[in-house]
């Protein structure tokens, strides 16, 4: 689609950013913020949630000269929130890294992929529609990802691993779901390196007296006066020495109320609250699993969604969510029910709990939510990879900064060791993880699979027939097996052939062994819906008008607009959504509080 015409020298991306801030500033400048006689404001802006979006918003506000208070119920050890634990993947379009890999990407191709994945269908053209602002945020975000996003972050010292990953390859049609080309850029230093520049900015602002931390401050209510936000109130929790990611005490030792004319909510999603996940589970994905592993720390509880709704905010698209299908039970958990996701290459065979092979597009790395629906339709909460040592050595990666010490610690020699050996974290899971079965023969493997689950659902003859049928397709450079086509497609991309796809081989080839089966659990992760916001990050009420003084950014806002991803994500867009929406809200709130 064509972009609206902007004056020469002003890009559409810049126009959106500036216009958003100007609109917010104009709207709030004309509003007389209520004040209680004799009481002064504690800050110009209060930010609730010290994850990535909160840090970005706070950094922007402090840079604009605003006095900011940054609140969170967790201790200082958890500063940076969920982003710290991430793999650090970021979605860029036509980046230097893509060009180095020979990838030809364009804004139009990315927008085609985004629309094909999002499937916006809830009132895009209707200002009251759930997808109205989500669509606008998507346009702005794809502009950002294909424009200044990379240079902005590079200017802050962020760097990326030169090989671009190809995540969510899609459902098989050009205009459908999925990335047409590799766009998953792994940050050198993973999640902590994405958090670092913004944490430094905020700490510098605190040292300069422009900002203040309020750790262990749990917000229980947003205070409004005459329909406008005037602050927050809540409970002071007892000091906690809990390590990052570990559950902290909820013992209350006091109460607080802080006053400010603007509150920015950046509190994250609902991934650790399985009750809320099941409550909002969409019928299109079948019956919610009875058993799931948890991909986020316990403090990702979704409390602020209801609290902000009570203050007048509108929640949209609550049934849109993003949970992974390749979850492992962490043998060394940090938080309750801690799960780790396998980021698979294309070669492992995928079977349901009964040993029936999934069809297209339920292939490793292709269509996460379609496969999730296929798993729930099977009547069981888990599925299986059947694979080989040769495949896991080249193709398995584990999500999480702590599972990638080479990338996280920027250790080049440790990273290069992946060329000749299976990464140590993978081998540790293979040895200690509850979900791995290793065997030299298929009969031994099936026996181990049935023993692990205790239900004897896997029939040896049936499993063998399906594997042998797939193996016969490896004899020619062409095939009718869609997964084998995908393997050969991956091997034609230099990034995959170097680091993410094993040489094509038969599963039952003894030289590729031992054989490995991996039980895969559903892993809770992201909230795709949330508080509806305009392009300034202002929270909208049920009437469609902004709630005066109330902003939101990050996952609590569906990463912008109440659902910028629509039904599906292209991956690498969650951290980016925190960065972009946090920046938008911070800049707009700064403009709105200008004197």
């Amino acid at each position: 689609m064509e972009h609206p015409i902007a004056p020469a020298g002003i890009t559409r991306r810049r126009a959106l950013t500036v216009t958003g801030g100007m609109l917010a500033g104009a709207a709030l400048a004309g509003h007389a913020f209520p004040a209680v006689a004799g009481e002064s404001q504690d800050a110009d802006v209060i930010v609730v949630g010290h994850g990535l979006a909160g840090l970005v918003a706070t950094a922007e506000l402090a840079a604009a000269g605003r006095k900011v208070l940054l609140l969170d119920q967790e201790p200082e050890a958890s500063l940076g929130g969920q982003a710290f634990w991430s793999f650090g993947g970021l979605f860029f379009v036509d980046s230097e890294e893509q060009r180095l890999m020979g990838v030809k990407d364009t804004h139009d191709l990315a927008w085609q992929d985004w629309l094909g994945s999002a499937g916006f269908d809830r009132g895009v053209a209707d200002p009251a529609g759930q997808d109205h602002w989500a669509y606008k945020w998507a346009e702005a975000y794809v502009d950002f990802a294909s424009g200044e996003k990379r240079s902005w972050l590079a200017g802050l010292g962020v760097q990326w691993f030169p090989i671009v990953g190809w995540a969510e390859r899609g459902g098989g049609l050009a205009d459908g779901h999925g990335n047409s080309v590799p766009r998953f850029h792994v940050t050198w230093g993973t999640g902590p390196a994405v958090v670092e520049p913004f944490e430094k900015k905020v700490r510098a602002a605190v040292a300069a007296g422009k900002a203040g931390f309020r750790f262990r401050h749990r917000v229980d209510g947003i205070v409004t006066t005459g329909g406008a936000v005037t602050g927050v109130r809540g409970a002071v929790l007892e000091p906690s020495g809990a390590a990052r990611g570990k559950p902290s005490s909820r013992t209350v030792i006091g109460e607080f109320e802080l006053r400010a004319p603007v509150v920015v909510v950046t509190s994250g999603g609902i991934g650790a609250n399985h009750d809320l996940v099941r409550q909002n589970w969409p019928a299109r994905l079948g019956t919610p699993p009875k058993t799931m592993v948890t991909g986020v720390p316990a403090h990702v509880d979704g409390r602020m969604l209801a609290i902000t709704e009570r203050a007048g905010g509108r929640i949209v698209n609550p049934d849109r969510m993003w949970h992974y299908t390749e979850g492992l039970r962490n043998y060394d958990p940090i938080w309750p029910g801690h799960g780790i996701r396998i980021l698979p290459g294309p070669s492992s065979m995928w079977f349901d709990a009964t040993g029936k092979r999934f069809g297209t597009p339920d292939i490793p790395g292709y269509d996460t939510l379609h496969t999730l629906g296929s798993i729930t339709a099977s009547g069981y909460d888990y599925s299986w990879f059947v694979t080989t040592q040769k495949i896991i050595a080249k193709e398995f990666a584990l999500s999480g900064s702590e599972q990638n010490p080479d990338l996280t610690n920027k250790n080049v020699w440790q990273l290069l060791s992946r060329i000749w050996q299976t990464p140590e974290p993978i081998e540790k899971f293979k040895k200690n993880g509850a979900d791995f079965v290793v065997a030299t023969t298929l009969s031994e493997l099936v026996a181990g699979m049935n023993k692990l689950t205790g239900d004897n659902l896997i029939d040896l003859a049936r499993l063998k027939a399906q594997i042998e049928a797939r193996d016969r397709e490896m004899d020619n450079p062409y095939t009718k097996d869609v997964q084998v086509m995908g393997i050969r497609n991956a091997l034609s991309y230099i990034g995959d052939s170097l680091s993410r796809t094993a040489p094509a081989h038969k599963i039952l080839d003894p030289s590729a062994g031992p054989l490995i089966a991996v039980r895969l659990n559903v892993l809770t992760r992201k909230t795709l819906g949330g508080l509806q916001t305009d392009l300034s990050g202002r929270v909208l009420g049920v009437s469609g008008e902004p709630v005066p003084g109330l902003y939101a950014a990050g996952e609590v806002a569906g990463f912008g607009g109440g659902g910028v991803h629509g039904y599906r994500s292209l991956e690498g867009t969650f951290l980016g959504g925190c960065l972009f929406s946090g920046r938008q809200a911070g800049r707009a709130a700064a403009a709105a509080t200008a004197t």
Side-chain angles (χ1 to χ4, degrees):
M1 63 181 296
E2 295 184 0
H3 300 315
I5 297 173
I10 300 178
T11 66
R12 183 174 185 273
R13 293 176 290 279
R14 179 60 181 157
L16 282 170
T17 301
V18 173
T19 302
M22 290 174 63
L23 286 173
L28 291 179
H31 179 86
F33 293 117
V36 177
E39 290 192 16
S40 60
Q41 305 294 342
D42 295 291
D44 297 314
V45 181
I46 292 171
V47 178
V48 181
H50 67 202
L52 181 59
L55 288 171
V56 174
T58 301
E60 291 290 341
L61 285 157
R66 305 297 173 266
K67 181 180 179 183
V68 194
L69 291 178
L70 179 57
L71 281 61
D72 202 285
Q73 66 182 357
E74 295 306 303
E76 185 174 2
S78 289
L79 191 65
Q82 191 178 336
F84 179 91
W85 298 105
S86 74
F87 196 35
L90 291 169
F91 176 96
F92 296 133
V93 178
D94 191 27
S95 69
E96 293 180 18
E97 290 78 14
Q98 286 177 302
R99 293 193 291 272
L100 178 66
M101 290 285 101
V103 175
K104 298 178 181 179
D105 198 7
T106 66
H107 173 280
D108 288 347
L109 183 61
W111 182 234
Q112 171 182 297
D113 288 347
W114 196 287
L115 287 180
S117 300
F120 295 120
D121 60 2
R122 295 175 176 175
V124 170
D126 179 2
Q130 295 187 77
D131 279 341
H132 180 73
W133 287 103
Y135 183 95
K136 291 179 181 295
W137 271 92
E139 284 187 297
Y141 183 74
V142 174
D143 286 349
F144 178 61
S146 59
E148 65 176 312
K149 179 182 177 183
R150 188 188 180 282
S151 61
W152 174 58
L153 291 171
L156 296 172
V158 183
Q159 298 177 305
W160 298 275
F161 185 59
I163 297 178
V164 184
W166 195 355
E168 278 299 294
R169 304 183 189 205
L173 295 177
D175 59 355
H177 170 56
N179 285 294
S180 297
V181 297
R183 296 191 178 105
F184 191 82
H185 297 67
V186 177
T187 302
W188 186 233
T190 66
V194 179
V195 172
E196 182 181 16
F198 303 100
E199 180 180 343
K200 284 183 176 179
K201 284 177 176 288
V202 173
R203 288 193 181 279
V206 171
K210 297 178 181 178
F213 289 123
R214 294 293 186 272
F215 302 114
R216 306 297 286 156
H217 279 55
R218 185 187 70 199
V219 173
D220 296 326
I222 295 172
V223 180
T224 59
T225 306
V229 166
T230 53
V232 297
R233 59 173 177 78
V236 179
L237 306 180
E238 69 177 354
S240 172
R244 182 185 292 274
K246 292 286 188 180
S248 61
S249 164
R250 291 293 179 262
T251 300
V252 175
I253 60 171
E255 298 178 348
F256 72 90
E257 182 166 336
L258 295 167
R259 300 183 57 78
V262 170
V263 171
V264 183
V265 179
T266 60
S267 55
I270 67 173
N273 189 332
H274 288 197
D275 290 339
L276 270 182
V277 169
R278 293 190 179 95
Q279 178 182 318
N280 291 287
W281 191 271
R284 64 184 175 274
L285 291 180
T287 303
K290 294 180 180 178
T291 302
M292 298 181 283
V293 293
T294 308
V296 294
H299 59 76
V300 185
D301 54 18
R303 291 181 69 255
M304 285 303 300
L305 279 161
I307 290 168
T308 309
E309 186 177 37
R310 288 196 294 271
R314 181 191 184 197
I315 295 173
V316 296
N317 301 311
D319 63 326
R320 292 182 183 168
M321 51 186 68
W322 189 260
H323 305 303
Y324 289 111
T325 50
E326 312 98 333
L328 302 175
R329 301 169 195 272
N330 194 343
Y331 65 89
D332 186 19
I334 297 171
W335 51 80
H338 190 176
I340 296 293
R341 183 203 174 198
I342 296 173
L343 283 71
S347 302
S348 298
M349 295 187 70
W350 206 338
F351 299 88
D352 71 14
T354 69
K356 178 182 177 182
R357 189 183 180 193
F358 287 125
T360 183
D362 303 330
I363 298 168
Y366 275 72
D367 192 332
T368 294
L369 290 195
H370 190 282
T371 309
L372 178 56
S374 297
I375 291 169
T376 58
S378 76
Y380 296 89
D381 295 344
Y382 66 94
S383 60
W384 290 100
F385 275 169
V386 173
T387 188
T388 67
Q389 181 67 34
K390 191 173 186 177
I391 291 172
I392 74 164
K394 189 74 172 285
E395 297 191 6
F396 275 26
L398 298 176
S399 179
S401 54
E402 82 284 8
Q403 299 298 329
N404 295 274
D406 48 357
L407 289 164
T408 300
N409 298 326
K410 304 181 181 180
N411 187 321
V412 175
W413 294 112
Q414 192 176 11
L415 179 65
L416 290 174
S417 72
R418 294 189 184 212
I419 296 172
W420 62 82
Q421 66 181 15
T422 307
E424 184 180 11
I426 299 290
E427 283 297 323
K428 284 184 175 179
F429 262 93
K430 191 180 80 171
K431 178 180 178 181
N432 303 311
D435 298 304
F436 280 77
V437 179
V438 182
T440 55
T441 67
L442 189 59
S443 60
E444 292 173 351
L445 191 76
V446 169
M449 294 164 73
N450 284 329
K451 181 179 179 181
L452 178 62
T453 61
D455 50 23
N456 294 312
L457 293 174
I458 309 297
D459 177 76
L460 173 61
R462 184 187 187 199
L463 189 71
K464 182 180 180 181
Q466 293 174 92
I467 296 174
E468 287 180 337
R470 181 267 192 192
D471 279 359
R472 292 187 190 102
E473 299 290 317
M474 306 303 293
D475 289 334
N476 293 287
Y478 43 84
T479 177
K480 71 175 183 181
D481 189 289
V482 172
Q483 183 177 12
V484 177
M485 291 181 195
I487 293 169
R488 301 201 189 284
N489 190 34
L491 289 170
S492 70
Y493 165 51
I494 188 172
D496 273 352
S497 63
L498 285 173
S499 67
R500 292 289 287 142
T501 305
H505 65 277
K506 297 182 178 183
I507 297 292
L508 297 180
D509 179 355
S511 67
L515 290 168
I516 299 165
V518 188
R519 179 178 58 185
L520 305 173
N521 308 277
V522 175
L523 175 81
T524 63
R525 187 59 68 86
K526 295 295 182 185
T527 310
L528 298 189
L531 297 167
Q532 191 172 41
T533 60
D534 65 11
L535 284 174
S536 308
R538 296 183 297 176
V539 176
L540 305 179
V542 292
S543 68
E545 294 298 316
V547 179
L550 187 57
Y551 291 71
E555 191 174 351
V556 74
F559 301 90
V564 67
H565 300 94
Y567 287 95
R568 288 180 170 88
S569 165
L570 287 174
E571 290 285 21
T573 56
F574 298 133
L575 290 177
C578 289
L579 292 165
F580 184 54
S581 63
R583 192 177 81 154
Q584 289 284 93
R587 291 181 177 182
T593 51
T595 55

